[in-house]
């Protein structure tokens, strides 16, 4: 099942991240061990619509639509525009730069948010051709 939402072009990155996590069991276990958190993403598109996805690196090592897994709670929620998320995943900007300029809002454990960078880098390879 695709995680892509056509109204959010950068959402193809969630498919790429999930594919990366699901394709290699050792890689998934390593990501869970490094992340130890549930990361929620709230993206806003040019039309002002919002949609949510989460990356569970606490238990399952998976990506899904929605704010959090059933019965779970996000350790950190990152809110940004679809365009900025696309740039972040493509490696055209850094999360710290977006945060400092007010384009990335972080709720929850900010230190956990720093553990997201390596996961987003995995998506760069899979999304460069699609974005």
């Amino acid at each position: 099942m695709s995680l892509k939402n056509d109204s959010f072009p950068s959402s193809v990155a969630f498919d790429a991240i999930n594919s990366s996590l699901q394709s290699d069991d050792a890689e998934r276990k390593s990501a869970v061990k490094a992340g130890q958190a549930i990361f929620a993403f709230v993206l806003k598109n040019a039309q002002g619509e919002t949609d949510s996805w989460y990356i569970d690196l606490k238990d399952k090592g998976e990506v899904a639509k929605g704010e959090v897994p059933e019965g779970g709670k996000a350790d950190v929620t990152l809110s940004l525009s679809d365009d900025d998320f696309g740039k972040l995943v493509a490696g055209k900007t850094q999360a710290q730069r977006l945060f400092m300029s007010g384009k990335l809002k972080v709720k929850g454990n900010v230190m956990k948010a720093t553990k997201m960078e390596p996961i987003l880098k995995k998506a760069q390879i899979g999304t460069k051709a699609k974005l």
Side-chain angles (χ1 to χ4, degrees):
M1 178 178 96
S2 177
L3 300 169
K4 183 178 183 238
N5 177 336
D6 290 333
S7 299
F8 296 81
S10 70
S11 65
V12 298
F14 293 109
D15 278 328
I17 294 167
N18 197 43
S19 162
S20 172
L21 289 170
Q22 301 309 317
S23 66
D24 183 347
D25 197 45
E27 190 74 35
R28 181 174 58 250
K29 287 178 181 172
S30 170
V32 169
K33 186 176 181 182
Q36 286 297 297
I38 295 173
F39 302 90
F41 290 84
V42 178
L43 302 185
K44 186 174 189 175
N45 67 12
Q47 292 75 36
E49 303 166 323
T50 60
D51 204 352
S52 303
W53 292 262
Y54 67 86
I55 303 174
D56 178 350
L57 293 182
K58 190 175 256 182
D59 299 313
K60 297 179 183 172
E62 68 179 8
V63 183
K65 284 190 66 75
E67 291 185 24
V68 292
E70 192 173 319
K73 179 180 176 237
D75 293 286
V76 61
T77 301
L78 302 119
S79 302
L80 66 164
S81 74
D82 178 63
D83 185 52
D84 286 331
F85 182 69
K87 290 176 186 172
L88 183 63
V89 171
K92 294 179 181 171
T93 190
Q94 296 174 325
Q96 186 176 6
R97 185 171 291 152
L98 291 173
F99 180 75
M100 293 300 197
S101 64
K103 293 180 178 181
L104 169 64
K105 306 277 191 253
V106 180
K107 283 187 198 167
N109 189 334
V110 178
M111 292 311 292
K112 292 277 186 188
T114 62
K115 297 188 180 226
M116 217 34 246
E117 294 268 352
I119 302 302
L120 295 178
K121 287 196 188 315
K122 290 180 194 310
Q124 286 179 9
I125 299 154
T127 58
K128 279 190 178 168
K130 296 176 188 174
L131 286 178

